[in-house]
Amino acid sequence: MEIRELNQDDLESLIKLYEQLDGKNSGFAVDDARSIWKNEIEENQSIKYFGAVENGKVVSTCFCAVIPNLTRLGGSIGFIENVVTDKDFRKQGLGKKVMEKAIEFAREKNCYKVILESGAWRTDAHQFYRNLGFDDTAKKSFLMKLKDY
């Protein structure tokens, strides 16, 4: 098992894993993902995808986007999203290791905080985040959906 930054070669496996996230990614074409990766992600040093990879298959993942900030003496904000571990690989510490890589990336990019969102119904995930040191009482998140998917 390897914990590492993901790359374009991991896209097919990554897209397949995202189908387990919330059921709203099925039918997303790998070619469309490749286009987004090439045009929006690959050269952007402020966005990194991390994963646990076994035999070429991404079995756990998250991404971290670093947002520049003009408060907190210019300390950036790390935003972690799309945290998912394959159902057959859960409870092995892989999600924790992948999240630690994302948090390490945020520290390297001078982030003063890392934030994430999680579906309100995902109570098991919420405990996982608390165990990692995330505080779910410090802020209130608001969401405005611009598309219904």
Side-chain angles (χ1 to χ4, degrees):
M1 184 76 59
E2 155 179 47
I3 310 297
R4 62 172 171 79
E5 183 179 332
L6 300 179
N7 59 58
Q8 184 172 324
D9 294 338
D10 298 308
L11 282 177
E12 189 169 340
S13 178
L14 178 63
I15 296 307
K16 189 75 173 159
L17 178 59
Y18 278 158
E19 291 177 9
Q20 294 184 39
L21 184 61
D22 60 9
K24 296 184 179 185
N25 208 52
S26 61
F28 184 54
V30 175
D31 286 341
D32 292 338
R34 281 193 184 97
S35 177
I36 292 168
W37 189 274
K38 182 172 178 50
N39 295 319
E40 305 291 334
I41 297 169
E42 191 170 61
E43 299 300 320
N44 188 335
Q45 294 302 304
S46 294
I47 302 173
K48 298 286 183 190
Y49 282 70
F50 300 97
V53 181
E54 181 167 88
N55 298 321
K57 178 182 178 182
V58 179
V59 298
S60 184
T61 190
C62 71
F63 82 83
C64 183
V66 174
I67 305 162
N69 181 37
L70 295 176
T71 65
R72 305 293 177 147
L73 304 174
S76 297
I77 300 165
F79 183 73
I80 294 175
E81 186 63 89
N82 296 338
V83 181
V84 61
T85 298
D86 184 291
K87 61 182 173 20
D88 295 331
F89 289 84
R90 292 181 184 157
K91 307 292 184 195
Q92 297 179 28
L94 299 176
K96 178 180 180 183
K97 289 177 182 177
V98 168
M99 288 285 289
E100 288 172 344
K101 286 289 262 188
I103 294 165
E104 177 185 330
F105 169 67
R107 279 195 180 100
E108 290 169 0
K109 293 296 240 177
N110 191 39
C111 292
Y112 84 94
K113 70 178 179 180
V114 175
I115 59 175
L116 62 85
E117 289 185 336
S118 179
W121 67 94
R122 297 184 67 214
T123 55
D124 288 348
H126 301 166
Q127 188 57 52
F128 167 71
Y129 300 135
R130 283 185 209 102
N131 291 345
L132 284 170
F134 285 85
D135 180 356
D136 63 348
T137 64
K139 297 272 184 168
K140 176 123 178 121
S141 176
F142 293 85
L143 174 70
M144 177 188 290
K145 287 195 170 197
L146 301 179
K147 295 186 180 187
D148 191 31
Y149 53 76

